[in-house]
Amino acid sequence: MLGGRAERADRGAVIVTVHGTNDAAPEDDGGRWWQKGSPFTERLVGELAQRGIAGAEIVPMHWSGANSDYDRLTGSANLARLLHRLDKDGRPHAVIAHSHGGNVTQEALAQTSRAGRRGGVVSFGTPFFTRRLKAVPLAIALFQIVMGAVVAPIMVWYLISILGEGTDKIVETIVVFGGLLALSLWSLVAGVRKIFHRAFAMRRFAKSMSPKDWLVIHSPRDEAMRLLEQAAVLSPHYVKTEAAVRALTAFAALAGVVVTTAVFLLYGGYFLRPIIDKISAGEFGLGMAADFTFLLLVPVVYGAVFLLIAGLARAGGGWLYAKVLSSAIHGGVLGAAFGDDGRFKLTGIRRLPPYLSEAKEQRIDALSFGGVDDAAVFVAAQKLYDSIVAAEGPEGGITDADTMWKRLSDALYHNAYMRDDGVIAVVADHLVDAWGRKGGAQINP
């Protein structure tokens, strides 16, 4: 489905649109900004026609739209294949992305080689991620490198030695040791690619794209970008040291009870056996009373456990516990915001692509653009409230998630870029300029 539009016989310009999080739909045609026939794509095609690029084709790039780094990386692989096919078919093409669609686009371009017919790239309101490998994938990558570096020379030596001796099992030797050699070389290359992913991406970008090719459009009024930027840089103390000390003290009391109970469950028979024997023999004198002195162990064991844990809590354990809990909670918050289910860990948020840090930047400082201003928030809220009260059934109301999301998102600056005539004109100018410098698309004056 991704490459179907690229197989057409005509060679007109193609605009690949990449939606952001929670904006997916299975249809190519529709009213979402990235679909064919939407107000944005129709106006953009018209603006391009006025600038000499007639009949530009809109090709939506479908991905899940989930807040998942794994899904974004999967989408980037699909987008890379689509762009490769467009270039192979001789179709001049450009990419327009919104929100996390910009991250999908960046990772896709990092997988593609230089393309003569690729024009400009435009991203709206993208919080660009900087990443590094997580501990487990990093360990696996290092293991792959070590295995490849160690096994490959050994397999080469085996091949040379065995084949040099004139063995009559040439096919078996090549299949076994040649296969292991190929597998070890693959392991080595895969590990190196994982560890040096960012360095390779930046090098590929430097060769295949000029900073003038990518236009980044954003606004300080963009709620989604600001939220993620703040989440990435804040290190709040979710758990105070005093609260951690109190929690550990409460745990000390529970631990004392548990340890004391465990001691008597383990050694109860030993302590109770003399008492049982005396009861059976009818001996109820001072000897039995002395046997009951084992009960003095209760406060001793309980007190030792309680004082040990409570003392450690006040000697620095509470501070350490608070730090560990705060770090775990903050990691969970960042993971939820980042969609942290891939092999990379979020290290920061940038407004320009990390792989192309000198990209063109269009900062929109206006308090109102795209028909959205502060009053629009209240209008959208009123519409949402009215729909809930009216219980509109399947086409609205609180049970219709699509309608609720649409009415709420209409009042977000994050989704307003594509509704602004000035922004659309800037996008058209950028695409025409990029194709004009590269000669990728035919421009009729």
Side-chain angles (χ1 to χ4, degrees), residues 174-219:
I174 293 176
V175 169
V176 174
F177 295 107
L180 291 175
L181 173 61
L183 183 61
S184 61
L185 290 176
W186 171 86
S187 174
L188 176 63
V189 172
V192 170
R193 288 182 61 184
K194 290 176 183 177
I195 291 181
F196 297 100
H197 168 82
R198 179 185 173 93
F200 290 152
M202 294 183 70
R203 184 176 180 182
R204 191 175 292 113
F205 263 73
K207 290 183 176 180
S208 63
M209 289 192 69
S210 165
K212 296 181 180 180
D213 293 339
W214 195 314
L215 174 63
V216 176
I217 299 177
H218 63 83
S219 171

Side-chain angles (χ1 to χ4, degrees), residues 94-356:
V95 182
I96 300 177
H98 173 241
S99 190
H100 283 318
N103 281 307
V104 173
T105 301
Q106 175 179 241
E107 296 301 329
L109 295 177
Q111 302 173 43
T112 60
S113 57
R114 186 179 185 88
R117 293 187 175 273
R118 183 179 304 143
V121 177
V122 180
S123 58
F124 301 114
T126 295
F128 289 102
F129 292 142
T130 57
R131 300 175 168 93
R132 64 175 172 82
L133 276 177
K134 295 179 179 177
V136 173
L138 176 60
I140 294 174
L142 291 173
F143 177 77
Q144 289 178 310
I145 292 175
V146 171
M147 288 298 296
V150 171
V151 174
I154 295 175
M155 293 302 105
V156 171
W157 182 78
Y158 277 153
L159 285 171
I160 294 175
S161 300
I162 296 175
L163 294 177
E165 294 175 356
T167 179
D168 58 348
K169 297 183 179 181
I170 298 178
V171 175
E172 292 86 344
T173 300
I174 293 176
V175 169
V176 174
F177 295 107
L180 291 175
L181 173 61
L183 183 61
S184 61
L185 290 176
W186 171 86
S187 174
L188 176 63
V189 172
V192 170
R193 288 182 61 184
K194 290 176 183 177
I195 291 181
F196 297 100
H197 168 82
R198 179 185 173 93
F200 290 152
M202 294 183 70
R203 184 176 180 182
R204 191 175 292 113
F205 263 73
K207 290 183 176 180
S208 63
M209 289 192 69
S210 165
K212 296 181 180 180
D213 293 339
W214 195 314
L215 174 63
V216 176
I217 299 177
H218 63 83
S219 171
R221 303 277 287 185
D222 191 316
E223 310 89 345
M225 289 187 65
R226 293 180 64 184
L227 176 63
L228 286 178
E229 287 171 349
Q230 291 300 315
V233 299
L234 290 178
S235 297
H237 298 288
Y238 296 96
V239 180
K240 301 296 184 182
T241 301
E242 298 79 5
V245 170
R246 290 194 296 270
L248 288 176
T249 301
F251 173 74
L254 176 62
V257 172
V258 171
V259 172
T260 302
T261 302
V263 168
F264 279 93
L265 287 176
L266 289 173
Y267 300 102
Y270 173 79
F271 292 121
L272 293 176
R273 174 55 55 188
I275 297 175
I276 295 174
D277 291 342
K278 287 181 174 60
I279 293 176
S280 300
E283 300 175 1
F284 299 100
L286 292 176
M288 178 181 289
D291 291 335
F292 273 102
T293 56
F294 79 90
L295 294 177
L296 295 175
L297 290 175
V298 173
V300 173
V301 174
Y302 175 86
V305 173
F306 178 86
L307 291 175
L308 175 63
I309 297 177
L312 289 175
R314 287 162 174 78
W319 172 85
L320 180 60
Y321 184 52
K323 294 289 288 185
V324 171
L325 286 180
S326 293
S327 177
I329 294 171
H330 190 56
V333 171
L334 279 182
F338 177 50
D340 190 14
D341 59 354
R343 62 180 182 271
F344 294 102
K345 178 180 178 63
L346 171 68
T347 59
I349 300 289
R350 296 186 180 180
R351 297 194 175 188
L352 295 177
Y355 302 156
L356 198 69

